[in-house]
Amino acid sequence: MLKELLLTIGIISTLLLPTGLFAQTSNDNSGKLLLKENWFVQPSGKINLKGPELSTKEIVASDWLQTSVPSTAMGVLTRNGQYKDIFIGDNYKNIDKKQFDDSWWYIRQFEIPQLKKGQHITLHFDGINYYANIWLNGKLIASRDSVYGTFRRFEFDITDFLKKKNNILAVEIFRAQPGDFNIGFVDWNPKPADENMGIWREVYLKIAGDVSINNTYVESKVNTVTLDEASLTIKTSLKNKNKKPVSGVLKGKIENLEFEYPFTINPGQTIDLTLTPEQIPALKLKNPRLWWCNNLGLPELYQLDLRFEIKDQVSDAEKISFGIREIEMYTNAAGHKGFKLNGKEVLIKGAGWTDDIFLRDSIESIETQIQYVKHMNLNTIRLESIWGNTEDIYDLCDKYGILSMVGWSCQWEWDEYLGKPCDEFGGIQTEQEMTLITNSFRDQILWLRNHPGIFVWMVGSDKCPKPELEIKYAELFKSLDNRPYLSTAGTRVCKISGPSGVKMNGPYEYVSPNYWYTDTINGGAFGFNTETGPGPQVPILESLKKMLPADKLWPPNQLWNYHCTHSKEAFNKMDVFNNALDGRYGKPANLEDYLLKSDAQSYEAMRAMFEAFRVNIPKTTGIIQWMLNSAWPSMYWQLYDYYLKPTAAYYAARNACQPVQLIYNYANNSVYAVNDCRQDVTNLVAVLNVTDVNSDLLSNKEININVPPNSSVKILQLDTYKGTIFIDLKLKNPNGSRVAGNFYWLSDKPDELEWDKTTWAYTPMKSYTDFTSLGKMPVSVVKMNYELTEKDSDVLIQTHLSNPTGKIAFFNTLILTDEYGGVISPVFWDDNYFSLLPGEKRDIKCSVPKAALKGIKPELILSGWNVAYQKISVK
């Protein structure tokens, strides 16, 4: 390997280069050198820029901001210490947006290795937002009239523009204007002050010989009956940059499978090559390791090493990670769309993803969040917008077995968010606009199509695409990819693809748990609900203190509302949720009381939504909670908060989506056993206890159960009881060990909804259930100790809990803090927000990355509804 020096602005870094090729990068593509660190950024209005070619001395002497790429203007400013407190209260409103009216310069200096004869260097931009002039060594290589569009990818052959030393790349960025098809957060949070202007995805150089390899794709076909065979088709693009014909051999390797394919390419020719099992019999596999989503099997991955050799010399190479799996879309008897993975129907259980408001996500934060998705027993995320400033989120979904729905966001379909008039098809209307967006989607498919986790492309959100545009999309998919697409996320009939077969009819605001079982028109448990949810999920106290001034923490006020959504029509205050809280649990006395009750209400609501869709299999085919996470500190639409602290709804989702679970049906007062697995569940025992609010036992039953795969079975019709009751459900093996459990609190006064006043946002409440007696529960006691072990990169803490009293210990929470009370994350508890029956013993484990405990003295804390606070040091 050769050592070459990369001279950056004021800094020299060393790169290891294999002969003829750059070293492969973190996403495992050979020939790719990321231009990541040591960029300098400044708005043009603050500098006296005489030209795009500057010396190192000139830049270092000025007030340029050092950063990395990908980044946005606001990302650069915040990482350089500006706007430290913008998320507290309503300080965000004070950002000076005029500074982004100017163009911004991104400048970087670099050096290249000595090129061999026939080698070329190309410069690649995976994403620029929104317009750019690109200069190299003082020469304009592309201008803003051709370099524009958030989701376009650009490639330039810069071989003839390079110097032997001190190459200077200067990119002048102009922000998106109203009517441009930009990244968007719709009404989820405030708009980014800078419109996310910047180089928001990776920039890299690639060295290749006369023939380059591009856009390699491995397409798989699985025998979905036997699952014991699969066939692969390899698609790639070869480009000859020589003025003469070039003959060579395309060589590939997938583990022990190797193949060669000789080829001749004419001068300047680009060939899209398809290699099939008929041409290369080795591409027919026996007993392949299949890629499965979470809770259905292992997410197995393979790697293709592909290279083009000319006279035994490597001209170019690619390394591609892929999974072998088959995705199919089906329509059930009721006309609802669903999806099959490797021939098996999958109930989609997921939530909506958003990037950070300034696109500052790190691979560490993304991995934590995808681990959260898996830990919650979800199997899907929906990316409304093609998020991610790198492929990291898609790589991690592949690794952890998470399916992803990827496509355009609704901000291009409404006047207010796009910034120009929209019609029945949205804002993509002219031939020029359709060409831009079609090319953008083409770029995204070529970028992402090797990811097995992506199971459907979303070309529309709230509306259908214009028919002419959908025809273009359909042609794209036919030529580039074999997975299905959805023309819209809503219940519509599109002129080209027909009925969507999915729905997006709300609610997005708080509704009571029985809503999901009783609604048969809008968001209830039937079909595929592509986005919905029960409104707010209030963060933990530690996070609230980062969002609100100390004197505005209590009672809820306008600053609380500012951290709701930024919709003008709804979800911009806490009234619906808080009125329900007052009516159902009783008016909170203080902030501590409010958080306890809001956690209980959020837990009920989130659990019921996911459980209703599971109980109603096969009428249900999918449910996407709106949302998974938040782009900024928020009160709404999140299973964990902006600071990556799980809410009560997180553990409600985890419990509701246990692969095998017992579930209470609010509509018919009965209990169901649900099995999401690929195998039969047999010889399990369901144990059911009903007690009143004073912990007196009203009923006890044991039932032997068997449940087929991907199904729901009613096992018991419950009696009716007066007052507030608790239902404890436990699923056990024949040896008595716990498989799963569920604990409900119910009242003989049901929640009632005003169905005739339903809007797109929610169904209002007519009257509330009565849980006020929970505030008078007798005091219980929980004894606690722990065991600590280490495993690989994690610390495992097993907490031993017991309730020695005759009273239920209701709605208990375990947290791990540092010695100063700060909540440690990530921490993955087996269960949380749990209850213990009189005399019950239970062990609850948590897993903590060792890195999260470095230099910390952990403390284990237990608190509960009617249980005294406890704290013990973990050593």
Side-chain angles (χ1 to χ4, degrees):
M1 302 183 83
L2 300 176
K3 289 187 177 180
E4 302 291 345
L5 294 179
L6 174 68
L7 179 62
T8 60
I9 301 172
I11 298 176
I12 296 178
S13 61
T14 302
L15 300 171
L16 296 178
L17 304 174
T19 304
L21 292 172
F22 282 113
Q24 64 191 51
T25 61
S26 58
N27 62 354
D28 222 10
N29 287 329
S30 296
K32 178 175 172 179
L33 171 64
L34 285 176
L35 299 181
K36 180 178 176 65
E37 303 297 337
N38 303 308
W39 287 80
F40 285 78
V41 177
Q42 196 60 275
S44 58
K46 286 190 174 184
I47 55 175
N48 181 22
L49 188 62
K50 298 177 181 178
E53 185 172 14
L54 300 173
S55 70
T56 304
K57 187 177 296 185
E58 287 173 316
I59 293 175
V60 172
S62 69
D63 59 351
W64 288 63
L65 302 172
Q66 189 167 1
T67 192
S68 59
V69 163
S71 62
T72 66
M74 275 300 297
V76 171
L77 292 173
T78 56
R79 282 174 171 157
N80 277 272
Q82 300 185 33
Y83 301 112
K84 291 181 179 179
D85 299 323
I86 51 170
F87 290 153
I88 296 178
D90 59 2
N91 289 349
Y92 190 88
K93 295 190 295 187
N94 299 326
I95 297 174
D96 177 15
K97 296 182 180 180
K98 291 183 179 179
Q99 62 186 310
F100 308 114
D101 292 341
D102 294 324
S103 60
W104 281 55
W105 285 93
Y106 280 68
I107 294 182
R108 191 188 197 278
Q109 195 168 341
F110 66 93
E111 193 169 288
I112 61 168
Q114 181 68 41
L115 296 182
K116 295 182 179 181
K117 184 179 180 181
Q119 286 189 322
H120 298 258
I121 295 187
T122 48
L123 171 65
H124 299 254
F125 292 86
D126 276 348
I128 294 176
N129 193 11
Y130 190 83
Y131 304 86
N133 293 320
I134 302 172
W135 302 75
L136 183 60
N137 295 327
K139 296 178 182 178
L140 184 68
I141 62 172
S143 62
R144 62 173 292 172
D145 59 351
S146 60
V147 181
Y148 65 91
T150 303
F151 295 98
R152 290 303 319 276
R153 300 171 75 209
F154 301 97
E155 175 185 342
F156 307 99
D157 190 328
I158 60 172
T159 309
D160 295 336
F161 293 88
L162 293 167
K163 301 188 299 185
K164 291 183 179 180
K165 290 184 177 181
N166 302 339
N167 292 282
I168 296 180
L169 175 62
V171 185
E172 185 181 16
I173 305 288
F174 303 84
R175 70 170 173 83
Q177 299 299 312
D180 287 336
F181 301 99
N182 191 13
I183 297 168
F185 296 85
V186 199
D187 57 0
W188 316 337
N189 43 262
K191 291 181 69 172
D194 61 348
E195 299 287 349
N196 288 137
M197 68 182 297
I199 303 177
W200 78 288
R201 281 186 172 155
E202 292 177 330
V203 181
Y204 58 94
L205 302 173
K206 182 178 178 182
I207 293 183
D210 284 334
V211 175
S212 63
I213 300 175
N214 300 285
N215 301 319
T216 301
Y217 172 45
V218 182
E219 184 177 284
S220 59
K221 185 76 177 173
V222 175
N223 183 329
T224 57
V225 177
T226 65
L227 303 182
D228 62 0
E229 57 185 3
S231 59
L232 306 179
T233 297
I234 298 172
K235 299 181 179 181
T236 194
S237 178
L238 303 178
K239 183 176 183 179
N240 180 8
K241 300 177 182 179
N242 203 316
K243 296 179 181 180
K244 297 179 181 180
V246 174
S247 296
V249 180
L250 187 67
K251 295 184 178 182
K253 182 178 181 181
I254 303 172
E255 296 185 344
N256 295 326
L257 181 162
E258 295 189 47
F259 62 87
E260 295 185 1
Y261 196 82
F263 216 83
T264 298
I265 310 176
N266 292 326
Q269 185 180 21
T270 298
I271 292 179
D272 292 327
L273 183 63
T274 299
L275 302 178
T276 67
E278 288 69 34
Q279 296 165 292
I280 303 174
L283 295 178
K284 292 183 179 180
L285 307 181
K286 290 292 185 181
N287 300 311
R289 304 190 315 274
L290 299 182
W291 188 93
W292 291 99
C293 68
N294 190 27
N295 288 329
L296 285 187
L298 296 176
E300 298 281 3
L301 295 172
Y302 289 78
Q303 182 172 280
L304 166 66
D305 293 342
L306 194 67
R307 63 189 188 275
F308 192 83
E309 293 185 0
I310 304 170
K311 297 179 180 179
D312 296 325
Q313 295 295 312
V314 176
S315 177
D316 198 8
E318 284 194 335
K319 291 189 177 182
I320 302 298
S321 177
F322 68 96
I324 298 176
R325 58 95 178 98
E326 177 109 356
I327 294 291
E328 300 170 87
M329 186 163 64
Y330 70 93
T331 303
N332 68 14
H336 303 303
K337 293 273 176 60
F339 292 88
K340 295 181 181 180
L341 175 61
N342 301 325
K344 311 299 180 186
E345 292 182 7
V346 178
L347 177 65
I348 299 299
K349 303 185 295 293
W353 173 276
T354 178
D355 280 7
D356 172 76
I357 190 171
F358 304 137
L359 310 185
R360 298 172 300 181
D361 293 299
S362 66
I363 188 170
E364 292 81 12
S365 72
I366 296 170
E367 182 155 25
T368 293
Q369 293 179 78
I370 299 303
Q371 288 173 329
Y372 279 170
V373 174
K374 180 175 181 176
H375 187 245
M376 283 186 281
N377 292 304
L378 303 180
N379 57 24
T380 302
I381 59 172
R382 180 184 169 195
L383 297 98
E384 188 184 348
S385 197
I386 302 177
W387 289 114
N389 53 25
T390 66
E391 286 186 75
D392 289 341
I393 186 170
Y394 305 98
D395 290 335
L396 289 164
C397 283
D398 297 343
K399 173 182 175 181
Y400 288 103
I402 304 302
L403 295 162
S404 52
M405 307 170 66
V406 180
W408 298 143
S409 172
C410 70
Q411 88 266 5
W412 296 354
E413 298 169 337
W414 301 102
D415 302 16
E416 178 184 354
Y417 304 115
L418 181 57
K420 74 163 195 172
C422 297
D423 61 18
E424 62 178 308
F425 303 108
I428 308 169
Q429 298 168 358
T430 68
E431 186 64 33
Q432 182 180 7
E433 290 168 344
M434 286 189 285
T435 299
L436 169 64
I437 299 306
T438 302
N439 288 338
S440 297
F441 215 113
R442 178 183 183 276
D443 287 352
Q444 303 310 293
I445 293 172
L446 293 175
W447 186 48
L448 297 174
R449 62 182 176 173
N450 278 298
H451 293 282
I454 297 174
F455 73 100
V456 65
W457 301 111
M458 306 286 293
V459 299
S461 181
D462 295 7
K463 300 180 179 181
C464 295
K466 200 175 183 69
E468 303 96 299
L469 177 59
E470 189 174 353
I471 290 172
K472 293 177 184 289
Y473 285 143
E475 291 172 348
L476 265 187
F477 298 127
K478 184 178 179 180
S479 64
L480 297 180
D481 194 40
N482 69 335
R483 74 200 84 198
Y485 81 92
L486 283 173
S487 53
T488 176
T491 308
R492 293 181 178 268
V493 178
C494 298
K495 294 185 178 180
I496 302 303
S497 53
S500 66
V502 297
K503 65 177 184 177
M504 193 181 67
N505 303 327
Y508 299 90
E509 183 58 274
Y510 177 78
V511 289
S512 55
N514 57 338
Y515 170 91
W516 305 100
Y517 290 90
T518 53
D519 174 75
T520 59
I521 299 173
N522 294 300
F526 62 93
F528 188 171
N529 197 335
T530 60
E531 58 175 61
T532 191
Q537 288 85 40
V538 180
I540 64 172
L541 179 59
E542 177 182 293
S543 297
L544 285 177
K545 289 179 177 179
K546 295 178 180 179
M547 299 163 52
L548 301 167
D551 63 343
K552 299 296 182 182
L553 281 169
W554 183 256
N557 51 66
Q558 188 55 42
L559 292 186
W560 281 56
N561 294 341
Y562 188 75
H563 285 269
C564 294
T565 82
H566 277 242
S567 169
K568 293 181 180 178
E569 297 182 53
F571 331 122
N572 49 28
K573 53 187 176 181
M574 300 286 292
D575 289 2
V576 174
F577 181 84
N578 286 346
N579 289 340
L581 193 72
D582 294 349
R584 300 174 86 246
Y585 287 91
K587 195 171 184 65
N590 49 43
L591 179 57
E592 183 183 41
D593 191 30
Y594 175 87
L595 292 177
L596 184 64
K597 290 175 177 176
S598 67
D599 282 348
Q601 182 161 280
S602 291
Y603 190 101
E604 282 185 279
M606 189 62 66
R607 176 175 61 178
M609 181 186 72
F610 279 110
E611 289 184 343
F613 275 77
R614 299 188 70 204
V615 162
N616 282 286
I617 293 171
K619 291 194 303 181
T620 53
T621 57
I623 173 69
I624 300 294
Q625 147 66 16
W626 202 249
M627 301 176 67
L628 173 71
N629 58 348
S630 293
W632 86 313
S634 177
M635 305 283 184
Y636 257 80
W637 298 344
Q638 57 194 357
L639 294 173
Y640 50 88
D641 66 32
Y642 179 74
Y643 305 102
L644 306 188
K645 312 295 186 184
T647 65
Y650 176 107
Y651 283 96
R654 172 173 167 77
N655 204 40
C657 297
Q658 292 279 355
V660 182
Q661 182 60 289
L662 298 175
I663 294 174
Y664 173 77
N665 185 323
Y666 284 83
N668 61 13
N669 192 37
S670 58
V671 177
Y672 286 71
V674 180
N675 174 17
D676 268 357
C677 303
R678 291 162 50 204
Q679 300 82 25
D680 289 330
V681 168
T682 59
N683 299 320
L684 294 185
V685 179
V687 181
L688 305 97
N689 286 280
V690 181
T691 58
D692 65 17
V693 75
N694 293 313
S695 304
D696 294 328
L697 183 65
L698 304 177
S699 177
N700 171 256
K701 295 180 185 297
E702 290 192 7
I703 303 171
N704 295 321
I705 65 168
N706 300 295
V707 191
N710 195 38
S711 64
S712 168
V713 177
K714 182 178 176 179
I715 64 169
L716 179 67
Q717 180 68 47
L718 294 176
D719 296 330
T720 57
Y721 300 93
K722 291 185 178 181
T724 300
I725 62 167
F726 299 113
I727 301 176
D728 180 76
L729 307 176
K730 289 185 176 68
L731 196 58
K732 295 185 177 183
N733 284 322
N735 63 9
S737 61
R738 179 188 177 103
V739 175
N742 235 331
F743 189 92
Y744 297 86
W745 48 104
L746 305 170
S747 168
D748 60 347
K749 180 185 177 185
D751 289 299
E752 293 188 31
L753 296 118
E754 293 190 273
W755 298 107
D756 58 340
K757 294 184 179 180
T758 297
T759 68
W760 67 273
Y762 78 118
T763 299
M765 302 293 296
K766 183 185 297 183
S767 63
Y768 303 112
T769 191
D770 184 1
F771 288 141
T772 55
S773 61
L774 294 175
K776 303 173 185 177
M777 286 184 66
V779 173
S780 184
V781 174
V782 173
K783 292 186 176 181
M784 176 177 66
N785 56 62
Y786 73 93
E787 292 178 25
L788 186 148
T789 58
E790 295 187 18
K791 183 179 179 181
D792 301 327
S793 59
D794 294 332
V795 173
L796 303 180
I797 301 172
Q798 180 160 282
T799 306
H800 304 295
L801 303 160
S802 64
N803 176 6
T805 72
K807 304 301 179 183
I808 289 171
F810 177 56
F811 207 62
N812 303 285
T813 308
L814 286 166
I815 61 172
L816 201 64
T817 71
D818 60 29
E819 61 267 41
Y820 307 106
V823 177
I824 297 169
S825 67
V827 174
F828 301 91
W829 293 97
D830 284 346
D831 194 10
N832 224 327
Y833 301 91
F834 57 92
S835 299
L836 296 174
L837 295 180
E840 183 176 1
K841 295 180 180 181
R842 187 169 175 202
D843 291 346
I844 296 179
K845 292 182 292 185
C846 75
S847 173
V848 191
K850 289 180 181 177
L853 297 177
K854 188 175 182 180
I856 289 174
K857 298 177 181 178
E859 294 182 332
L860 184 62
I861 294 175
L862 171 75
S863 60
W865 189 278
N866 62 328
V867 173
Y869 174 95
Q870 292 185 53
K871 179 171 69 174
I872 55 177
S873 296
V874 178
K875 298 179 182 179

